[in-house]
Amino acid sequence: MFLTSSGQARSGLLWALRHVRRASGAPARDPRFAALEDSDLQFFDSVLGAGGVVTDPHSLQPFNEDWLGKYKGSTRVALKPKTTEQAAAILRHCNSRRLAVGGNTGLVGGSVPVYDEVVVSTVCMNKVLSFDTVSGTLTAQAGCILEALDSHVAGHGYCMPLDLGAKGSCQIGGNVSTNAGGLRLLRYGSLHGSVLGLEAVLPGGEVLDLLTTLRKDNTGYDLKQLFIGAEGTLGLVTAVAIQCPPRPLAVNVAYLAVPTFAAAQQVLVAAKRQLGEVLSAFEFLDKESLAITLRHLPGTKDPLPGCQAPIFLVVETSGSSAAHDSDKLERFLEGVMEEGLVSDGVLAQDSAQVQQVWQLREGITTALRHRGAVYKYDVSLPISQMYALVEEMRTRLTTALPHLAGSSGGAGSGGGGGGDGSDDDGPPIRVAGYGHLGDVPGYSKEICEQIEPYVYEWTAQHRGSVSAEHGLGLMKAGCIGYSKPPAAVAVMRQIKAALDPHGIMNPYKVLPPEL
Amino acid sequence: MVAVKRVLDYTARVRVKSDKTGVDLTNVKMSMNPFCEIAVEEAIRVREAKGTDEVVAVSIGPRQAADTLRTALAMGADRALHVHTDAEVQPLAVAKLLAAVARQEQPQLVLLGKQAIDDDSNQTGQMLAGLLGWPQATFASRLELDAAAGTALVTREVDGGLETLRVTLPAVVTSDLRLNEPRYATLPNIMKAKKKLLAATSPEELGVDVAPRLQTLSVEEPAKRKGGVMVASAAELVDKLRNEAKVI
């Protein structure tokens, strides 16, 4: 999430709150699901062959635990199909046996099994199927890694229409199933616009071939939109056709220090007006995020040592002419400095510096993880409210848990987690805002209770979305009521029941359990 | 005095031109040679440590070389000199031009990058010292100036390890990677740089003949690496080493 995504105004939010529950605990294992048996394993073996069926507990560990280390499941088998036909055979079998099926760099526990669901990973389906160099349409299997796809199309002068910190390990199928946003959403829009087609295997095993590369196709209901963002609950995405934009020839990045969040908003307005069509990213991070990243991520350097500003911005332009873009950018920067909206900043002089500046923003999540457990809240709010939530949460935690969140510098006795407190890592609990929130030393019920449902209620009151980009997964299943009215949730249930009558696809997630 | 060169950006992907005369530079991002950036940073640090009063940046090349000089000014150089020429300038010509400028400017120290990442020649600094008759300390990873004594202590990175030299000033020093970490160009400095002096001159004005002495015969891509092969046993490995690779 970043400054430009403004939450849409919703009316009558408070009545929606009666349908919500706090999301932290998962419901009990659904007894309608069968348990895995040897005959199932034999079947999987016969379809996938050696290497396609993982049962060794040690090898299953990465499938059972999410990237944040917050969610742990207990699957006994992970399957790695190489083709759509294999994936279809697996799902057909699971559906007839009523074995639940789960998916894997997601941030809301949507990609790990809750109990013993069979994990299906598309990691072996990593072939690029085709790329049209004239139109820029890429067709690839779901297991292709985003960064690898970007390198592939770069050779022809194109780039992927999305970019996120996890690009080195996230798969395009997962990006589509979660409708991932990322740093370039500002410029290229969401996947709902850039995905031209997809192929999915329905829960019953039928292959739904919607893999068209046509830009215009108004024939019937646009079914692919259902799968984009469904988080695997309606079917398994096995291939994607995506529209790639031309790769910008000239990229410029500026890193700016601003005195207040209000000033940051005005810089955004100025950027949109003066940089116009070349503006490609506008990110913010606060002093907390910067401090944690500099300390916990090796190889990072502070571009403005000694700068005491509370908020920093990363502004990127992408265009076809270096001279034209640099000119525009320099005039914009002169303007905002003269008006006092920006107190200091740097302009990257070569691509090494561009990467270093982006590292400060993209590396925050990793740095937070190195420091300790992270409570991550990806909310979208009206721009003016965005940072207020960080400040309120800071006050709230400091008041409620002074021994952990107080600003007494040094001596943190916080359990678990990174900073050893003896050097300047600050108090064990810190609240960092960079569009996402959260940073606490260890996962604990006490801390969680202070955060949830307060964050969701606050967001709902300010007419925002409880999940801008990360989806609902397990963490926020049950929170949909904060952002969508009951009638909408009812229709979603109808669609789910129509496509997945046995409910085997990624259960316990996205939609709240029926009461 | 610090010399800087405008080269293709080190992360840029390049293609060899189909006529094999060189590399295709159309629309490729250009920036300051990384070693030159380190040289500029060191020059500014020398001035900050009061080892000198002024840092002058010099570059040789077409119109766009001025952009590289603006970066040097934005990093903190006091003024700049652009030797404007559209001709191809090879290391010897560059050394002669810089020698002419040095005779005019009379610096205590000339800093250069050890080599440029486009041609990897690693010659200009050495030839410059030869032309001027000055001492040279190349591949510097540490520089300590003693202005009062008129000497400098330079640690060099050499194959055997580190070598420390004391040179009398004026001298030529070329920078290696570990000399320092260059600063970013901050916005206030970028604005100030616009008002700094950027003078221009030409090889003709300096009285230097820049005709190339080297002729490029052809430029080709390096041979593609063949994929590795898995062997099933030590015997097979020995067989391949003996009969295919022919190394034993």
Side-chain angles (χ1 to χ4, degrees), chain A residues 407-426:
Chain A
S407 56
S408 54
S413 59
D420 58 340
S422 54
D423 32 303
D424 206 6
D425 196 28

Side-chain angles (χ1 to χ4, degrees), chain A residues 126-142 144-156 158-162 172-173 175-176 191 194-199 210-215 239-245:
Chain A
N126 58 1
K127 285 206 282 288
V128 170
L129 298 171
S130 71
F131 180 65
D132 182 326
T133 54
V134 173
S135 61
T137 49
L138 171 74
T139 313
Q141 286 187 310
C144 293
I145 292 184
L146 182 61
E147 192 165 43
L149 290 177
D150 193 59
S151 306
H152 181 94
V153 303
H156 300 281
Y158 289 89
C159 66
M160 291 299 281
L162 77 162
I172 191 69
N175 291 144
V176 167
L191 285 174
S194 38
V195 169
L196 300 173
L198 53 80
E199 176 191 76
L210 302 165
L211 202 59
T212 171
T213 53
L214 300 171
R215 201 89 194 79
V240 174
I242 196 162
Q243 177 66 58
C244 295

Side-chain angles (χ1 to χ4, degrees), chain B residues 214-235:
Chain B
L214 303 170
Q215 183 194 0
T216 301
L217 296 177
S218 95
V219 178
E220 291 167 14
E221 288 197 15
K224 293 227 181 320
R225 278 190 66 192
K226 287 204 283 263
V229 171
M230 296 288 273
V231 294
S233 67

Side-chain angles (χ1 to χ4, degrees), chain A residues 343-366:
Chain A
S343 55
D344 204 352
V346 302
L347 186 56
Q349 296 296 317
D350 55 35
S351 44
Q353 291 187 351
V354 165
Q355 278 168 21
Q356 280 162 19
V357 170
W358 268 121
Q359 177 72 313
L360 294 175
R361 165 64 186 91
E362 290 189 286
I364 297 175
T365 311
T366 312

Side-chain angles (χ1 to χ4, degrees), chain A residues 81 216 307 491:
Chain A
K216 307 189 210 179
C307 181
V491 173

Side-chain angles (χ1 to χ4, degrees), chain B residues 157-205:
Chain B
E157 298 205 4
V158 296
D159 288 343
L162 298 174
E163 175 187 71
T164 309
L165 298 180
R166 190 186 313 277
V167 293
T168 56
L169 303 177
V172 172
V173 173
T174 71
S175 66
D176 207 324
L177 205 55
R178 274 164 280 270
L179 181 57
N180 61 48
E181 229 188 298
R183 65 194 65 191
Y184 285 91
T186 63
L187 294 184
N189 284 340
I190 293 174
M191 310 295 164
K192 278 189 225 156
K194 300 211 168 130
K195 306 199 182 76
K196 292 184 185 172
L197 178 64
L198 202 168
T201 180
S202 67
E204 294 73 36
E205 272 181 47

